[in-house]
Amino acid sequence: MRINLHQKTATKPQLDFWNDGAKYRAFIGGIGSGKTKAGSIECLRQPAGSVGCVLAPTYGMLKISTYEEIITTAENAGIIKELHKADMRLDLVNGSRIYFRTADNPERLRGVNLGWFWLDEAGLMNEDVWYIMQGRLRLGPS
């Protein structure tokens, strides 16, 4: 599954981010630079059958920004199989699964097996979150 990137409306930094082949990437920009949109599309572009986790510093930030952006983008693309609001989990038609979590208690992030993760507003998270999430990368792609 490939999400239409709307290259006419995408910014050069977003296109550069999507096309970068590095294992770990960061999109750093100011308010309104398109970081959340770029990250949302990147999550939805992951290989079929992959399992990933999207994190934001707090539940409030997750719910009103990151979660909402991914759900809206996925709805517009017609790729939602099932949305489990109580579990904060999104299943896509290609067999991929996305978990939504907060980083306010890093120890709660242990145990899950993932192929990828995205830290939205990572600069507001405890450094331990990065190391814990790297340890969760046990499935392809990693």
Side-chain angles (χ1 to χ4, degrees), residues 99-139:
Y99 293 100
F100 297 89
R101 298 292 182 261
T102 65
D104 50 0
N105 186 344
E107 293 304 315
R108 290 186 184 165
L109 301 171
R110 297 187 185 276
V112 67
N113 295 317
L114 301 171
W116 59 269
F117 65 88
W118 171 36
L119 308 179
D120 192 27
E121 299 294 349
L124 300 175
M125 296 178 194
N126 182 302
E127 183 179 344
D128 291 343
V129 172
W130 172 254
Y131 297 111
I132 290 169
M133 294 310 291
Q134 280 184 307
R136 308 301 96 212
L137 294 178
R138 300 174 183 161
L139 307 173

Side-chain angles (χ1 to χ4, degrees), residues 3 5 17 21 32 63 73 112 122:
I3 302 298
L5 298 181
F17 173 74
K63 185 70 173 153
T73 303
V112 67

Side-chain angles (χ1 to χ4, degrees), residues 12-49:
K12 182 176 182 334
Q14 288 172 326
L15 292 170
D16 290 346
F17 173 74
W18 292 322
N19 293 321
D20 189 317
K23 182 174 183 175
Y24 299 112
R25 295 172 287 146
F27 188 141
I28 301 168
I31 295 170
S33 63
K35 299 180 301 290
T36 301
K37 183 66 166 180
S40 296
I41 290 173
E42 184 62 19
C43 292
L44 298 172
R45 294 177 66 219
Q46 295 304 302

